[in-house]
Amino acid sequence: MTTEKILTSEEVKEIQKIYQHFPLKSAACIEGLKVVQKYHGWVSDEAIKELAEILEMSPAAIDSAATYYSLIFRRPVGRHVIMVCDSVSCWIMGYDKIIDCLKNKLGINYGETTPDDRFTLLPIPCLGTCDHAPAMIIDEYLHNDLITDNLDTILEKYK
Amino acid sequence: MVKVFIDNKAYEVDDSKNMLETCLSLGLNLPYFCWHPALGSVGACRECAVVKYKDENDKKGKLVMACLEPVVNNIRISIEALEAHQFRAGNVEALMTNHPHDCPVCDEGGECHLQDMTVMTGHNYRRYRFKKRTHTNQYLGPFINHEMNRCIQCYRCVRFYKDYAGGKDLDVFAAHDDVYFGRQEPGVLENEFSGNLVEVCPTGVFTDKTLKKHYTRKWDLTDAPSICHQCALGCNTIASERYGSIRRILSRYNGDVNGYFLCDRGRFGYEYVNSEKRILTASKKQNGTLSAINKEQAIQEIREIIKVDKKIIGIGSPKASLESNFLLSQLVGAENFYAGITSTEGKLIQLVVEIMKGGKVKIPSLSEVEGYDAVFILGEDVTNTAPMLVLSLRQAAKNKPREQAVAMKIPEWNDAAVRDVVQEATGPFYIATAHATKLDEIATKTYYAHPDNIARLGYAVTNKINQQPTIVDSDEETEALAQSISNALLAAKKPLIISGTSLYNEAIIQSAANIAFALMDKGKNPGLVYIVPEVNSIGLSMISHQFLEDIYEKPNKDDDKTAIILETDLYQKMDKHNTDTFLNQYTNVIVLDYLHNATCSEATYILPAGTFAEADGTVINNEGRAQRFYQVHIPENDVKSSWKWLQDLLMNNSTPSVKNFDEVIESLVEVFPELQAIKSIAPDSDFREGTQKIPREPHRYSGRTAMHANTHVSESRPPEDPDSALSFTMEGYAGIPPSAITPFYWSPGWNSVQAINKYQIEVGGPLHGGNPGKRLFEPIENSNAIYFKNNPLPFSPRKQEWLALPLYHIFGSEELSAQSPALKERIPKAYIALNNNDALKAGIAEGNVLEILFNGEKHRLPAKLSIQLPEGIIGLPKGFIETAGIHFPFWTTLNRLNNV
Amino acid sequence: MEKPLTEHIKNDGTSLSLMEYENAGGYQALRKALKLSPEEIQKIVKDSGLKGRGGAGFSTGSKWGLVPMGKDVPTPKYFIANADEMEPGSFKDRLLLEGNPHQLIEGIIIGAYAIQARFSYVFLRWAYHQASKVITQAIQQAYEAGYLGENILGTDFHLDMSMHISVGRYICGEETALLNALEGKRANPRSKPPFPVVSGLFGKPTVVNNVETLSNVPHIISKGADWFKKLSITDEGGTKLYGASGRVKKPGLWELPLGTSLREILEVHAGYMQNGYNFKGVLPGGGSTDFLTTIHLDVPMDYASVSKIGSRLGTGTIIVLDDKTCPVGMVRNLEHFFAQESCGWCTPCREGLPWTAKLLDALESGNGIMEDLNILASHVHYMAPGKTFCALAPGAMEPLESALKYFKEDFEKHVHEHKCPWN
């Protein structure tokens, strides 16, 4: 009985293509994690093991890098990831109100996912749009100049 | 040498070091955590802060980390400056914010580097009033306990485990104050040197699980300087006892041999000493069963037997000390003394000794191996036959790539910077073995072949070095490989050849010597290392020349024959049938041994022999270094060293009585003058520091009287040790003892193993008085060693038969440690291994039960595939219970059993 | 007033295409540079006085000059643009990345040529998605136009360029941590020496420069060191992207001569405070700089002048503290950021910053005691420059130290009133 692999052969090929560019396979560790997350949304223990085989590294070494970085998710996330900037300029410009509103609307706290798997809520440091604070990113889209009144409109776009 | 100023005092010091090493070498107490003499500096913990001044006029200075500060001429630093002092105390305060108040229940307490440094910095008041971060612990196997809350994030564990020892499954996870040191998931730590974590970790995160079973504080232990008996490398250890049982083994620093470390077999394989199978009393076979008898009576009766019996033979042991073997040989007469090993093994060891005695090439010590920059291994799975050699080889493999870092003027001690340059590169490293080995991962090229073909490769390399014509009928691929190897060896500054007796092949050993000879003749600086099986294989070889087959096959129709067997289970060495026949010939079988075994069951008398823990002795390691191990305690039963029993048996009116250990050695070297050097391994038993002996117990040892209060209330006189300059008490010399008789490490303020710093002339270097042990084989100028001319024919597989070779396991192949409970958990199941293709052709799948024949005996074991054995060859685990008595190599049929 | 960095950047947020960039004079500097020797390029940049715009302010030309040159040096050499802008309150590199990627690319190519690098990277933070699209496209266009690849513009200079998108962690912006991230490892910083110019990416000579720094390079080559020097008000050379965030009327980004006064940035360009808010203080260069107050407003915003009054120019993007915002709360936000972004390598940062953050939590929630203020002061000393492995913790201490100095009463009020007076 063979367990099904997490990574498809295309994904494996993509990672193999990437490590050609590095002097060592192990240097492609982070890129490999990004490929996994691109297709699966997060990186599971099993994916770590498969990636380790492809890159000829130990699972521990891969996980050591994976758990270091805040944007590699080692737990499942919802269909959309909301990342709210909690740094100083957004904080001055009303972050507290925004996050309280979001937490209320979604009924979840930081690090949690809505029961319908629609949204995961995470903090993120300064998004570099401080002249349009407060701000947040959902998936890959930047939403800034946030006010509590337009949060619903923004969230509606994400099914 | 340059001048440095520390707290306004001038010192002349070595300028290749950093300031932390320098301060410690000068005996100054500068706190540190993350630096380690074997691991170099990384500057993480910030504990070694000192103030550095621009010149003598600079009064302010600036804080720098001594571990990353190179020694330069006229550098001025201060350890005592208030700013440095306050910073170091504040740094410990920061570490303490999350450290649990575990000291009273923590195994590390009493030998904890964190405790020592906290006291040293003077931090003693907690200002942090918030919650501590906590972690969950992991199961890490039978050897190591995990308690992550105690972690101070010095990163030493992962640096040792990954960078130094090549381990893959321990790492650091997460970031900021949440960093976690452990495995990716709970499970047994795979690296063979994981046990060193207990010494490398400065707190109680990683502790000895075997010690935990019978935990004792360091100050309550009786210690002795010992030698690990579980392979031929002779690593130095400290063995510790309390209440009659051995509690744990620590590494004993020897700058020439094992340095700071041990392998897991040596560290955790000691539990057999406390086994229920220990023979504790003298016994005699009466009415078919063995029962205890009074020891004096036993001696008397045996003396009578010896006087009367017409034929007495003695079988010695490569596990036993020189002294025990020697006295047995004296007792029965040299012509009646046989080494308890097969003649195949014995002759190969003799060959090795001959080559080493020949003195053409240097035989490097374990630590000297680290300095070689190209390596060729012939026929040895070093990870399993001489594990600590792997640690040295892993460092050696970095030498060539390190040259780049040297060219960039990065100091050797700046470990992180060197690794950034070296990355994963390794120098020229060639391994020719019978199957894939763990060390292959650092090899430039590997070559899996039958032992004869390995020897042929060796001969081909020699030819290339000597620029001689190609051997007839050798194939292109092998020729090309031989050329690469010879090029690499010739290009190296210090090439190293490693071989040994493991595959029972004479040609391999000879071809290895040839390569080294050829390199020597070409003006290179080669080294030659041979791996042999047992702790005293070399020693036994130098005082015996007959083997088991010689006595098994010797026709002898005498009645009344006696065999005295020393520390040998014949059923492990020779097959059951022949051993039964052999033992049946003897009226009296007198066995001196420590653990009950099959031979003991056939004995007529058993005398309880002392293991390394209950005996003094000398053993000679594979390098030809004679080393001394000392008794840890005097057991409260009949157990004593074999040589003491033999001495008792030797004593009668015609033999002068021998008083003590030194006198046994005197007699030994009289008979074997080439072993003269063993007299000067350690100070004699009459050595004193002033008038004082060296105590085996630290001065805080407690409970001496209370221990025996159940039998008698008054304080009894401590037992005497007539055989060494050590005492079985805590009274005695409190300073640094001579290196060969150092029982434990302690210095005021340094209760942990870090106290070793005080015992070395310079930190990381030789001990005061020199590293212990006396080498017997040194290079001889104009040696007349000649090349061997024994190139074998290529191996031909047979059609219906398979050649069986031994496969070694660090856990399982060594007889004694395999009987230790913790280590036993790590022993794999016995198997018959074969090549994937062969299995396919024969219709064999993994796990199928196979049957082989050795000397008419059937052995059935499950199949194991894919360890890349060559075709036509099968592998069996050496030394396992299931393969006891099997001699390698041998031809056998192979049958797959159905419905099994 | 010349604004070489931003004059061609479009208002609609789209980036300059290759054609638009070339029409504006783009890649002429590269053509000119390739006719000079690498050493000549280094000299021009050095003479221009260009200082690292990532916050450190080290002379760019001098840094390039430390790279070993010649035949027997370790290769390949690397040239990296640090586009991991994550300093709280900083948003200047984003404008250049999104608005004029070719300007950056040209700067990288010239810099790589100056040190004879073979490979170059743009190390971009994940959150800058638009920049990622735009730069990917721009790199491809540059290859197609022959500005990248082998034999660039017919010379024997070869350079490959790729973009690496970071996966988080502020410390990646520290140049040696960035190198570790590129090597696929945990992004802990490295100790110096050896410096990256000697042993950098994969142990080879490497230069890491900030995006704004590199964007200046084509202009310096085109118009010369003297031209560049004359652009600034004080003598450090060039223009600077200054920004303002917080409760000012017009938060934004402006390219002004280096050395423009803080007052001018705050009052003229940012329009001073919003109605109902008064000025209380400002962090002149991002979250890891010291507070300045009304008495400092006339300071020229250049590296030396700001340093002289006890702060740092840093990224030059000011964060304004108004009187309706609690200074303790502001510092608390910053210290939580720094504590969570600690890599975990060295003791003071890893253990000291969370302690600092917890003390500020206690103060903000009304549970602070006077002793907490003493401990905060001792932490400033404990995590001072030189004591830690890198500059993260000392940077974290800058706003704290200055807040304790200038807003001491506010801290004490939190203790005495057992609550935050601003709530």
Side-chain angles (χ1 to χ4, degrees):
Chain A
M1 183 200 76
T2 50
T3 39
E4 248 189 56
K5 294 271 181 193
I6 306 268
L7 303 179
T8 66
S9 56
E10 281 78 36
E11 289 161 19
V12 172
K13 283 204 191 87
E14 188 171 331
I15 296 169
Q16 286 168 336
K17 201 161 151 226
I18 288 171
Y19 70 53
Q20 315 278 5
H21 295 293
F22 290 88
L24 316 156
K25 276 188 185 159
S26 59
C29 170
I30 293 173
E31 295 302 317
L33 287 165
K34 279 153 76 179
V35 170
V36 174
Q37 191 156 296
K38 180 166 83 174
Y39 293 109
H40 299 273
W42 67 293
V43 181
S44 63
D45 287 350
E46 187 49 49
I48 295 267
K49 291 196 180 109
E50 289 178 26
L51 188 57
E53 264 185 58
I54 299 168
L55 295 177
E56 290 173 28
M57 293 170 72
S58 69
I62 304 233
D63 211 10
S64 172
T67 53
Y68 182 86
Y69 292 97
S70 38
L71 295 173
I72 298 292
F73 302 134
R74 288 281 283 113
R75 280 193 265 164
V77 291
R79 293 190 296 282
H80 307 287
V81 182
I82 304 172
M83 297 198 233
V84 186
C85 173
D86 65 350
S87 286
V88 66
S89 298
C90 287
W91 177 81
I92 290 173
M93 298 302 285
Y95 155 83
D96 283 332
K97 287 210 183 74
I98 301 290
I99 191 57
D100 285 343
C101 188
L102 273 174
K103 283 182 181 173
N104 259 318
K105 275 190 203 297
L106 299 172
I108 54 176
N109 246 317
Y110 271 143
E112 295 175 358
T113 303
T114 53
D116 60 0
D117 260 355
R118 189 170 162 213
F119 290 115
T120 297
L121 186 63
L122 293 172
I124 191 168
C126 182
L127 288 170
T129 180
C130 319
D131 52 346
H132 296 283
M136 67 182 177
I137 281 189
I138 304 184
D139 297 340
E140 299 195 342
Y141 198 84
L142 178 66
H143 299 276
N144 50 16
D145 289 319
L146 295 175
I147 48 177
T148 47
D149 288 345
N150 64 8
L151 288 176
D152 278 329
T153 330
I154 295 173
L155 292 178
E156 247 161 56
K157 299 193 194 123
Y158 296 92
K159 307 293 176 202
Chain B
M1 299 294 270
V2 297
K3 194 189 258 178
V4 304
F5 294 90
I6 303 173
D7 286 303
N8 289 318
K9 200 163 157 209
Y11 301 89
E12 288 277 327
V13 297
D14 175 356
D15 67 349
S16 69
K17 310 260 180 198
N18 61 60
M19 285 308 291
L20 173 61
E21 297 178 284
T22 303
C23 290
L24 293 172
S25 299
L26 291 168
L28 303 169
N29 286 342
L30 180 54
Y32 64 92
F33 289 114
C34 64
W35 174 83
H36 185 286
L39 306 176
S41 306
V42 285
C45 70
R46 315 311 277 177
E47 192 55 41
C48 63
V50 294
V51 177
K52 180 171 129 173
Y53 303 95
K54 283 198 213 103
D55 51 42
E56 58 260 23
N57 299 320
D58 178 5
K59 293 297 167 218
K60 188 158 182 280
K62 88 175 169 159
L63 212 65
V64 297
M65 298 305 134
C67 68
L68 287 178
E69 199 61 38
V71 170
V72 295
N73 199 23
N74 288 327
I75 187 175
R76 304 190 88 88
I77 65 155
S78 168
I79 301 177
E80 301 304 327
L82 186 62
E83 186 189 350
H85 193 82
Q86 284 177 338
F87 179 83
R88 293 192 301 259
N91 206 48
V92 169
E93 176 180 28
L95 290 173
M96 283 297 151
T97 56
N98 284 312
H99 196 76
H101 292 168
D102 273 5
C103 286
V105 299
C106 172
D107 288 7
E108 198 85 345
E111 53 177 349
C112 174
H113 187 55
L114 177 62
Q115 280 180 337
D116 290 344
M117 296 299 99
T118 303
V119 171
M120 192 177 285
T121 59
H123 166 68
N124 60 6
Y125 183 75
R126 182 179 190 74
R127 295 185 299 172
Y128 182 79
R129 59 190 180 82
F130 306 107
K131 284 215 164 95
K132 301 183 194 188
R133 63 99 187 89
T134 55
H135 293 291
T136 48
N137 302 320
Q138 288 181 323
Y139 169 76
L140 294 175
F143 297 154
I144 310 271
N145 195 65
H146 196 216
E147 187 61 56
M148 256 308 288
N149 289 345
R150 298 171 183 161
C151 182
I152 59 168
Q153 295 86 234
C154 70
Y155 288 80
R156 269 180 170 198
C157 55
V158 286
R159 289 171 56 217
F160 169 77
Y161 196 91
K162 288 176 19 169
D163 298 342
Y164 195 88
K168 304 276 183 296
D169 61 331
L170 185 82
D171 220 316
V172 54
F173 302 91
H176 54 88
D177 60 347
D178 209 24
V179 285
Y180 187 91
F181 297 87
R183 297 185 84 248
Q184 202 243 341
E185 55 189 7
V188 177
L189 283 169
E190 293 160 5
N191 187 271
E192 294 79 11
F193 308 100
S194 68
N196 294 297
L197 292 173
V198 312
E199 289 190 59
V200 154
C201 175
T203 74
V205 175
F206 297 106
T207 50
D208 184 333
K209 217 167 187 176
T210 66
L211 171 61
K212 220 181 191 18
K213 294 183 203 171
H214 41 210
Y215 183 71
T216 313
R217 290 287 177 206
K218 174 185 179 171
W219 64 76
D220 273 344
L221 290 168
T222 305
D223 307 296
S226 190
I227 302 289
C228 172
H229 275 49
Q230 322 311 142
C231 87
L233 292 177
C235 297
N236 290 199
T237 60
I238 292 174
S240 308
E241 170 271 350
R242 184 142 175 106
Y243 303 136
S245 72
I246 298 298
R247 302 277 153 143
R248 62 105 178 259
I249 303 290
L250 275 186
S251 172
R252 178 164 61 108
Y253 180 81
N254 186 323
D256 289 340
V257 186
N258 54 304
Y260 293 90
F261 306 118
L262 290 176
C263 79
D264 287 357
R265 182 201 281 181
R267 187 183 292 274
F268 301 114
Y270 69 91
E271 290 179 304
Y272 68 87
V273 173
N274 305 327
S275 166
E276 305 163 324
K277 284 163 55 180
R278 278 301 296 275
I279 300 162
L280 300 177
T281 54
S283 340
K284 175 181 175 178
K285 198 168 244 167
Q286 299 174 101
N287 300 326
T289 49
L290 284 162
S291 50
I293 65 168
N294 176 279
K295 58 180 189 245
E296 273 82 31
Q297 188 186 339
I299 294 292
Q300 268 304 114
E301 291 182 19
I302 297 175
R303 276 204 203 127
E304 279 305 308
I305 291 170
I306 292 173
K307 246 199 254 178
V308 162
D309 270 12
K310 298 195 185 71
K311 190 69 193 169
I312 309 175
I313 61 129
I315 297 179
S317 173
K319 288 195 186 305
S321 63
L322 277 177
E323 292 80 5
S324 299
N325 280 300
F326 169 69
L327 286 184
L328 179 55
S329 154
Q330 293 293 97
L331 182 62
V332 303
E335 68 284 5
N336 296 317
F337 180 65
Y338 298 81
I341 56 180
T342 65
S343 64
T344 315
E345 183 174 309
K347 292 207 170 89
L348 291 177
I349 297 170
Q350 279 180 337
L351 172 60
V352 165
V353 171
E354 191 191 301
I355 293 169
M356 295 202 291
K357 266 197 210 162
K360 183 158 171 112
V361 174
K362 177 164 171 83
I363 314 291
S365 69
L366 254 193
S367 77
E368 283 172 326
V369 164
E370 290 181 25
Y372 286 78
D373 59 340
V375 177
F376 181 26
I377 302 178
L378 294 98
E380 286 293 323
D381 175 8
V382 185
T383 309
N384 290 301
T385 56
M388 278 294 287
L389 179 56
V390 161
L391 269 193
S392 298
L393 289 174
R394 283 191 178 272
Q395 309 328 305
K398 294 278 178 198
N399 283 333
K400 195 108 186 71
R402 250 188 227 131
E403 286 172 6
Q404 222 185 77
V406 172
M408 288 166 153
K409 306 245 191 312
I410 298 173
E412 205 186 312
W413 45 258
N414 193 342
D415 188 63
V418 171
R419 283 182 196 278
D420 284 332
V421 172
V422 168
Q423 300 272 329
E424 293 174 16
T426 49
F429 208 99
Y430 296 91
I431 305 181
T433 43
H435 57 91
T437 70
K438 203 161 178 180
L439 204 52
D440 292 354
E441 66 187 19
I442 62 170
T444 313
K445 243 183 167 270
T446 56
Y447 180 78
Y448 308 134
H450 179 272
D452 284 341
N453 290 348
I454 294 174
R456 289 175 61 77
L457 174 64
Y459 273 89
V461 170
T462 306
N463 279 352
K464 298 288 181 208
I465 293 173
N466 285 335
Q467 286 156 310
Q468 275 161 358
T470 308
I471 303 168
V472 176
D473 81 16
S474 97
D475 63 284
E476 242 181 70
E477 208 184 307
T478 311
E479 281 301 301
L481 177 60
Q483 187 66 60
S484 308
I485 298 175
S486 88
N487 289 345
L489 296 174
L490 284 169
K493 293 198 188 91
K494 291 176 74 173
L496 179 66
I497 312 299
I498 300 179
S499 186
T501 59
S502 303
L503 290 177
Y504 297 103
N505 187 291
E506 181 185 61
I508 286 183
I509 294 174
Q510 292 170 331
S511 77
N514 279 357
I515 300 172
F517 294 168
L519 289 166
M520 194 74 194
D521 285 340
K522 279 273 183 276
K524 307 302 295 188
N525 211 348
L528 182 58
V529 169
Y530 283 110
I531 296 170
V532 293
E534 303 281 6
V535 59
N536 203 17
S537 291
I538 302 287
L540 180 60
S541 173
M542 293 177 79
I543 63 172
S544 70
H545 24 260
Q546 302 176 106
F547 312 105
L548 287 173
E549 281 91 337
D550 296 321
I551 187 57
Y552 268 50
E553 290 156 15
K554 193 168 181 162
N556 194 321
K557 296 198 179 53
D558 287 332
D559 296 324
D560 295 327
K561 296 194 317 246
T562 298
I564 305 179
I565 305 175
L566 172 67
E567 298 174 35
T568 300
D569 180 7
L570 294 174
Y571 290 90
Q572 292 292 321
K573 306 287 181 176
M574 305 287 278
D575 67 282
K576 184 171 188 328
H577 177 74
N578 283 324
T579 305
D580 283 339
T581 312
F582 169 72
L583 287 174
N584 280 336
Q585 292 175 46
Y586 289 86
T587 334
N588 283 299
V589 176
I590 299 160
V591 170
L592 293 96
D593 217 329
Y594 10 82
L595 292 167
H596 266 294
N597 54 42
T599 303
C600 293
S601 304
E602 304 303 315
T604 51
Y605 284 90
I606 304 182
L607 298 174
T611 62
F612 66 86
E614 302 105 358
D616 298 319
T618 306
V619 287
I620 304 179
N621 78 354
N622 70 318
E623 172 206 347
R625 178 182 297 260
Q627 305 189 98
R628 184 81 31 84
F629 62 94
Y630 289 92
Q631 189 165 344
V632 185
H633 69 120
I634 300 181
E636 286 178 6
N637 43 47
D638 295 347
V639 171
K640 64 184 183 186
S641 32
S642 296
W643 63 261
K644 285 197 173 163
W645 287 114
L646 292 163
Q647 210 172 225
D648 290 342
L649 296 179
L650 269 168
M651 271 160 59
N652 56 38
N653 293 331
S654 57
T655 316
S657 67
V658 175
K659 287 212 200 80
N660 75 357
F661 187 66
D662 294 322
E663 283 156 328
V664 174
I665 293 182
E666 276 289 340
S667 319
L668 206 175
V669 304
E670 257 181 54
V671 177
F672 296 101
E674 63 178 0
L675 295 177
Q676 183 70 20
I678 73 172
K679 275 176 67 171
S680 50
I681 293 173
D684 280 352
S685 56
D686 54 16
F687 171 85
R688 299 287 180 271
E689 288 281 4
T691 55
Q692 298 180 307
K693 292 193 100 176
I694 313 298
R696 282 184 172 81
E697 293 158 7
H699 59 278
R700 296 195 180 105
Y701 186 89
S702 70
R704 175 165 73 176
T705 321
M707 259 190 241
H708 303 292
N710 58 336
T711 46
H712 51 87
V713 166
S714 54
E715 181 166 345
S716 38
R717 204 192 149 107
E720 300 218 349
D721 182 355
D723 298 308
S724 79
L726 295 161
S727 71
F728 287 107
T729 71
M730 75 286 277
E731 288 103 351
Y733 180 62
I736 311 280
S739 56
I741 49 174
T742 297
F744 57 84
Y745 299 112
W746 182 84
S747 187
W750 298 84
N751 296 287
S752 79
V753 296
Q754 256 68 217
I756 291 176
N757 291 340
K758 302 288 187 190
Y759 290 69
Q760 295 161 327
I761 302 171
E762 267 190 23
V763 166
L767 295 161
H768 283 294
N771 294 314
K774 288 275 175 273
R775 280 166 58 95
L776 299 176
F777 311 122
E778 296 295 356
I780 301 172
E781 241 190 274
N782 304 320
S783 138
N784 49 15
I786 50 172
Y787 286 82
F788 296 97
K789 293 184 172 52
N790 188 14
N791 198 2
L793 292 170
F795 169 66
S796 312
R798 295 183 190 171
K799 279 232 154 27
Q800 307 289 7
E801 281 190 304
W802 304 72
L803 185 75
L805 290 179
L807 302 181
Y808 289 82
H809 294 270
I810 179 175
F811 305 124
S813 291
E814 194 278 312
E815 186 190 332
L816 299 175
S817 60
Q819 299 179 64
S820 302
L823 199 133
K824 213 168 175 170
E825 285 184 46
R826 300 287 303 271
I827 300 177
K829 290 205 159 30
Y831 56 83
I832 295 174
L834 63 163
N835 179 294
N836 272 352
N837 287 337
D838 288 353
L840 208 61
K841 280 188 234 159
I844 294 171
E846 179 95 13
N848 286 161
V849 177
L850 306 176
E851 186 182 85
I852 56 164
L853 277 174
F854 172 72
N855 268 11
E857 280 172 9
K858 288 187 185 164
H859 296 265
R860 292 179 181 176
L861 290 166
K864 181 161 131 176
L865 308 184
S866 76
I867 50 166
Q868 294 172 269
L869 281 166
E871 293 191 2
I873 291 178
I874 60 170
L876 297 170
K878 172 97 175 96
F880 280 35
I881 302 167
E882 295 88 341
T883 56
I886 291 183
H887 293 181
F888 297 95
F890 67 96
W891 288 96
T892 176
T893 52
L894 188 68
N895 291 319
R896 194 192 70 174
L897 299 180
N898 294 320
N899 307 323
V900 176
Chain C
M1 176 175 5
E2 280 189 75
K3 300 191 187 192
L5 295 175
T6 56
E7 67 178 307
H8 301 291
I9 291 182
K10 297 190 270 197
N11 284 329
D12 64 0
T14 59
S15 64
L16 253 69
S17 69
L18 175 59
M19 193 164 74
E20 286 168 327
Y21 183 65
E22 283 172 329
N23 286 342
Y27 289 107
Q28 289 307 313
L30 176 59
R31 289 182 164 80
K32 184 174 175 189
L34 290 174
K35 296 200 177 81
L36 301 169
S37 73
E39 285 76 10
E40 286 171 307
I41 305 285
Q42 288 184 19
K43 184 167 192 311
I44 295 172
V45 172
K46 190 162 174 198
D47 288 347
S48 76
L50 175 66
K51 288 177 161 26
R53 302 288 199 246
F58 188 73
S59 155
T60 307
S62 299
K63 189 190 245 187
W64 293 2
L66 292 169
V67 174
M69 302 287 279
K71 282 215 166 4
D72 293 319
V73 298
T75 55
K77 293 190 252 187
Y78 296 94
F79 196 94
I80 302 171
N82 185 347
D84 193 43
E85 179 172 63
M86 265 174 89
E87 183 68 34
S90 299
F91 49 101
K92 63 174 180 77
D93 292 338
R94 180 197 272 274
L95 176 70
L96 297 171
L97 291 162
E98 291 176 356
N100 199 348
H102 280 287
Q103 179 175 247
L104 170 64
I105 290 173
E106 187 180 5
I108 296 172
I109 303 173
I110 294 172
Y113 174 74
I115 66 158
Q116 293 291 286
R118 179 65 185 84
F119 295 101
S120 58
Y121 291 91
V122 176
F123 187 92
L124 181 69
R125 64 172 302 193
W126 173 86
Y128 284 6
H129 292 104
Q130 191 180 336
S132 145
K133 291 196 187 79
V134 145
I135 290 172
T136 307
Q137 212 174 50
I139 292 177
Q140 186 169 346
Q141 290 169 345
Y143 266 103
E144 286 163 5
Y147 298 129
L148 285 171
E150 306 218 340
N151 300 106
I152 295 175
L153 295 178
T155 64
D156 55 14
F157 177 57
H158 320 298
L159 182 69
D160 279 314
M161 186 183 294
S162 52
M163 192 178 65
H164 174 97
I165 299 181
S166 161
V167 274
R169 293 256 94 96
Y170 163 72
I171 191 66
C172 288
E174 200 278 347
E175 69 174 355
T176 58
L178 191 159
L179 296 175
N180 281 334
L182 274 178
E183 290 187 13
K185 299 176 180 146
R186 295 163 64 88
N188 291 349
R190 301 179 184 178
S191 80
K192 302 185 269 208
F195 290 84
V197 287
V198 167
S199 170
L201 190 62
F202 300 114
K204 304 280 192 252
T206 307
V207 162
V208 181
N209 280 135
N210 172 266
V211 164
E212 185 183 352
T213 312
L214 291 171
S215 299
N216 277 296
V217 168
H219 305 286
I220 292 172
I221 298 299
S222 282
K223 300 185 202 119
D226 284 336
W227 163 84
F228 188 75
K229 276 195 119 73
K230 291 202 186 89
L231 290 178
S232 60
I233 291 177
T234 48
D235 63 359
E236 291 179 354
T239 59
K240 181 79 188 70
L241 287 179
Y242 292 105
S245 63
R247 295 227 176 259
V248 291
K249 285 211 176 72
K250 298 185 281 173
L253 207 53
W254 315 275
E255 184 179 2
L256 301 166
L258 181 64
T260 301
S261 74
L262 177 55
R263 187 185 297 282
E264 181 183 324
I265 295 167
L266 176 65
E267 294 177 0
V268 174
H269 301 280
Y272 206 51
M273 306 306 294
Q274 285 176 7
N275 295 333
Y277 293 89
N278 291 312
F279 177 81
K280 186 159 171 135
V282 63
L283 297 174
S288 58
T289 54
D290 285 76
F291 277 103
L292 296 174
T293 59
T294 40
I295 58 173
H296 303 114
L297 285 177
D298 291 306
V299 68
M301 287 280 276
D302 71 21
Y303 297 94
S305 310
V306 180
S307 175
K308 212 153 130 195
I309 56 164
S311 184
R312 289 190 315 118
L313 178 61
T315 54
T317 42
I318 74 176
I319 306 171
V320 179
L321 169 65
D322 60 86
D323 64 339
K324 304 244 174 344
T325 300
C326 174
V328 175
M330 181 170 170
V331 176
R332 173 187 174 220
N333 177 287
L334 284 166
E335 297 309 324
H336 269 284
F337 165 78
F338 288 116
Q340 114 199 346
E341 293 303 320
S342 167
C343 74
W345 178 247
C346 81
T347 308
C349 177
R350 184 188 64 241
E351 311 292 344
L353 289 181
W355 189 357
T356 304
K358 286 179 181 145
L359 286 163
L360 292 163
D361 285 344
L363 284 164
E364 258 302 85
S365 63
N367 294 314
I369 52 181
M370 281 308 285
E371 174 63 8
D372 291 346
L373 299 183
N374 293 337
I375 300 177
L376 283 173
S378 73
H379 278 157
V380 165
H381 194 63
Y382 175 50
M383 287 180 265
K387 308 209 176 153
T388 52
F389 195 77
C390 81
L392 189 149
M397 291 298 101
E398 290 194 35
L400 176 63
E401 178 175 24
S402 47
L404 287 171
K405 182 161 103 185
Y406 295 123
F407 311 125
K408 185 158 183 228
E409 274 174 29
D410 296 326
F411 279 85
E412 288 174 348
K413 268 203 200 134
H414 281 74
V415 175
H416 297 314
E417 295 180 21
H418 299 290
K419 68 175 171 71
C420 172
W422 275 262
N423 283 344

